[in-house]
Amino acid sequence: MRQKIVAGNWKMNLTKSESIALLNDINASKHAENVQMIVFPPAVYLNTLSELNARCALGAQNFHPAEQGAFTGENSVLQVQDAGAEYVLVGHSERRMYFQESEEFLKDKVDAALAHGLKVIFCCGEPLSIRELEHQNEFVNKQLEESLFHLPAAMMQKVVVAYEPIWAIGTGKTASSAQAENMHAAIREMIATKYDQDLANQISILYGGSCNGTNAKELFACANVDGGLIGGASLKTADFLTIANSF
Ligand code: PGA
């Protein structure tokens, strides 16, 4: 049985008091026991939120792969872990696009996170121009090859993959369940080809991109969709919980 996961990427939203209120609300609400909930708050609030002892795990949206050094403004892999992160996001399209994170740098982030025992949610997904050409599978395969498939099987096992088509992020335009299932099955096949079917069957693959309380049920009903990485809809307790209860 693969782990079902619903993760909230709060991005650069919420104040400290709003973050505390949201996590407390999520913690106090009923949700299915078999779903791992994770939230990725702004890094400056990780420490405070880790003191709430929530049932929901905490993750870092970003970190620098070095343990320390002259990288003004960055938080190191050690620092985000020390502040309470159990998970990290790597390869989110906003980091690739706005902060020019290269495939090579993402590879370093994956390695650093796993070396420190952090769990990686590795994001991949194609832009609209690639989808229109129907080259999305090749595009995603290249992203996995360049930043993830160097891992030995024992490390790969600890990774969660999130498929997030860029044209669906924050646009209100979600992938259809058929589009999501096709890509998730293709990703599982890529992992099986690179490693083996057993390992591929164990890896949770999440869908991200305008997933909300209305479409989550249909998306999560797909055989290869093991949960979601939620942006906008993770900022409201009711929406996030509806999604977490959509399996
Ligand atoms: P969205 O964001 O749910 O707001 O589309 C998803 C993400 O960027 O992870």
Side-chain angles (χ1 to χ4, degrees), residues 9 11 92-94 164 168-172 208-211 229-233:
N9 176 7
K11 306 194 180 184
H92 192 283
S93 61
E94 287 153 15
E164 300 202 295
I169 296 179
T171 58
S210 300
C211 183
L229 178 55
I230 321 300

Side-chain angles (χ1 to χ4, degrees), residues 1 18 35 41 48 56 64 72 78 85 106 111-112 132 138 142 150 166 171 173-174 195 217 222 225 237 240 244:
M1 268 292 274
E18 287 166 345
V35 179
T48 303
C56 194
H64 193 286
T72 301
L78 275 182
L106 299 180
D111 290 343
E132 283 171 348
E138 294 86 336
K142 191 163 177 282
H150 64 287
I166 297 171
T171 58
K173 196 171 170 239
T174 184
Y195 297 90
K217 223 182 181 76
C222 298
V225 177
T237 313
F240 188 59

Side-chain angles (χ1 to χ4, degrees), residues 80-170:
V80 295
Q81 185 170 43
D82 199 27
E86 194 183 327
Y87 288 81
V88 287
L89 287 182
V90 178
H92 192 283
S93 61
E94 287 153 15
R95 298 292 320 170
R96 293 179 192 257
M97 209 172 356
Y98 303 140
F99 303 97
Q100 286 80 44
E101 292 196 358
S102 67
E103 308 290 354
E104 195 56 38
F105 189 63
L106 299 180
K107 188 175 166 206
D108 290 346
K109 290 177 85 169
V110 167
D111 290 343
L114 291 172
H116 286 87
L118 287 160
K119 295 174 195 146
V120 171
I121 299 187
F122 184 83
C123 307
C124 56
E126 80 287 354
L128 186 59
S129 57
I130 297 287
R131 170 64 62 168
E132 283 171 348
L133 293 169
E134 295 181 14
H135 290 167
Q136 63 272 12
N137 289 24
E138 294 86 336
F139 187 91
V140 166
N141 191 49
K142 191 163 177 282
Q143 290 182 319
L144 300 178
E145 281 286 350
E146 288 175 337
S147 307
L148 206 55
F149 283 173
H150 64 287
L151 291 174
M155 285 292 167
M156 185 63 191
Q157 223 164 10
K158 299 180 179 165
V159 173
V160 172
V161 175
Y163 169 58
E164 300 202 295
I166 297 171
W167 45 271
I169 296 179

Side-chain angles (χ1 to χ4, degrees), residues 220-242:
F220 294 178
C222 298
N224 284 289
V225 177
D226 305 307
L229 178 55
I230 321 300
S234 71
L235 297 172
K236 296 207 179 86
T237 313
D239 291 350
F240 188 59
L241 286 162
T242 303

Side-chain angles (χ1 to χ4, degrees), residues 23 36-63 75-88 116-119:
L23 190 57
Q36 172 68 63
M37 289 201 297
I38 310 163
V39 294
F40 290 85
V44 286
Y45 305 139
L46 272 171
N47 219 13
T48 303
L49 297 180
S50 72
E51 281 157 15
L52 301 180
N53 288 322
R55 285 153 70 195
C56 194
L58 292 176
Q61 297 173 24
N62 183 40
F63 62 98
N75 296 308
S76 80
V77 61
L78 275 182
Q79 288 165 334
V80 295
Q81 185 170 43
D82 199 27
E86 194 183 327
Y87 288 81
V88 287
H116 286 87
L118 287 160
K119 295 174 195 146

